Amino acid sequence: MISIALAGKPNAGKSTFYTAATMAEVDVGNYPFTTIDPNRGVTHVRTDCPCLDREERCGDEDCHDGKRYVPVELLDVAGLVPGAHEGKGLGNQFLDALTDADVILQVVDAAGATNAEGEPVEVGEYDPVEEVDFIEAEMDAWLAGILDRNWESVERKSRSPDFDLEEALTDLLTGFGATEHDVTIVLRGLEYPDDPIQWSDEDREQLAAAIRARTKPIVLVANKADIAPPENIERLRETDKPVVPATADGELALRRAAEAGAIEYDPGDADFEVVGDLSDQQEEGLERIREVVDEFGGTGVQGALNEAVYGLLDLITAFPVQNETHWTDAKGNVLPDAFLLPSGSGPKDLAYAVHTDIGDGYLHAVDARADRRIGEDTELEEGDVIKIVSTAS
């Protein structure tokens, strides 16, 4: 399962975002380090369900009238403060918890209502742009420190006649989520001494930054957009990272109102409909949220998740079925499974995603939409419905 980590300084709204996205109860407070132990939960990215092309909806529990929600893991960890890579705050714990993440949502207090340490200040008093490079700088320094502390092992291996730098670095960086392919690609873009003994601190820092950028890309979530000065949002958008304005508080309020039957709302909708009785105070609160939703096309919580997975990671959703006519599995369930795959994946990649045995026994695949056999080199597209024919199926 794809893993998304929430990062940011304390009190930026990470735990509220996590609660809104997962509807799991966690501690939420207006003080630094509300989160101590990492929270792991399941949230979803949203896409169109292929059942929209059929006469009836599929009825899957993750499909809401053609809005398909695909599960991903969401990780909420302790807030990061300056010097975290040196162990300040809960820094080491925080950074260790990020190693398994595929992508990071950096939650920024766009309202400027918390200082660098996460302590409350007046709205607009702190400049949120100061935080833009904060997470990656701490991660880069932390990873460079790991490389430095373990570099002697690379130097020892380099004395062997069959030494392979890429293999040695992969062994060292596997715990950070880097594959041999990642290491190979990164090294191609760097200039460095052939002999690891000649590497300088700068060489290792350069490697750390490049590996982090490749394996832990970052989306900025401009949280508290409902109270943020407009110029703060604009200046954040002018940075070199993808930025999604958001109100985690607003999303949480909408989800709870929907659960209570007061409104009709699905995560990611650009509007909601009041269907229950509301007090004047509740109605006023929802109307304030509606203003933000109208301005930004949603609360931004679902938008940020989608930007991370479909945008930054460039993944697609494919739907494997056993019956290409009815789009069902062996039990007759319509479109029961959805898999996230890298853009450019083929049907055999989908087969392996379903199960290793299915991939090992792969024979061919059928495009269920077109009802025709497709080649192994066919690139799958978003929303493809595919029958895998395998010796193991």
Side-chain angles (χ1 to χ4, degrees), residues 136-155:
E136 63 183 35
E138 290 291 338
M139 291 183 68
D140 291 353
W142 177 69
L143 185 54
I146 292 175
L147 288 172
D148 185 59
R149 291 192 297 275
N150 293 277
W151 198 252
E152 187 178 340
S153 67
V154 179
E155 293 179 351

Side-chain angles (χ1 to χ4, degrees), residues 157 162-174 180 183-184 187:
K157 291 178 181 178
D162 58 351
F163 172 71
D164 185 303
L165 179 61
E166 293 177 11
E167 183 179 315
L169 291 179
T170 301
D171 289 343
L172 188 55
L173 293 164
T174 297
E180 185 172 0
V183 173
T184 299
L187 287 178

Side-chain angles (χ1 to χ4, degrees), residues 182-380:
D182 291 326
V183 173
T184 299
I185 294 298
V186 164
L187 287 178
R188 284 178 184 172
L190 301 179
E191 293 184 5
Y192 54 89
D194 292 332
D195 185 352
I197 297 175
Q198 302 301 318
W199 278 49
S200 64
D201 289 343
E202 185 178 344
D203 292 323
R204 285 185 285 272
E205 290 167 3
Q206 182 180 233
L207 173 63
I211 287 289
R212 192 273 317 151
R214 180 171 177 82
T215 63
K216 303 289 182 284
I218 295 173
V219 174
L220 283 181
V221 180
N223 194 32
K224 306 182 186 180
D226 51 323
I227 60 171
E231 60 270 21
N232 282 8
I233 301 292
E234 290 307 311
R235 290 172 59 243
L236 286 169
R237 279 176 160 164
E238 291 171 359
T239 64
D240 61 354
K241 294 183 179 64
V243 176
V244 180
T247 168
D249 278 333
E251 176 70 14
L252 184 56
L254 292 183
R255 295 249 192 148
R256 287 178 171 165
E259 279 192 345
I263 65 171
E264 286 186 356
Y265 171 75
D266 286 319
D269 283 356
D271 198 2
F272 58 89
E273 181 182 355
V274 176
V275 294
D277 295 329
L278 300 174
S279 68
D280 291 343
Q281 184 178 6
Q282 289 172 324
E283 191 168 342
E284 183 180 337
L286 285 174
E287 284 308 308
R288 285 200 300 269
I289 296 172
R290 192 189 297 277
E291 291 176 7
V292 181
V293 168
D294 287 344
E295 181 177 358
F296 297 112
T299 67
V301 171
Q302 190 65 61
L305 294 167
N306 272 32
E307 175 61 26
V309 172
Y310 292 120
L312 211 54
L313 292 182
D314 194 21
L315 302 186
I316 63 167
T317 321
F319 298 79
V321 295
Q322 291 193 34
N323 185 304
E324 66 270 37
T325 301
H326 301 291
W327 295 7
T328 57
D329 63 8
K331 297 180 179 179
N333 299 308
V334 180
L335 297 167
D337 299 307
F339 286 85
L340 292 167
L341 302 172
S343 181
S345 294
K348 194 169 184 178
D349 297 309
L350 175 60
Y352 272 110
V354 174
H355 196 282
T356 302
D357 292 344
I358 301 293
D360 288 342
Y362 177 86
L363 296 175
H364 66 268
V366 177
D367 180 340
R369 289 182 184 274
D371 192 21
R372 63 178 176 82
R373 184 182 293 198
I374 55 176
E376 187 178 325
D377 60 348
T378 300
E379 287 193 9
L380 300 182

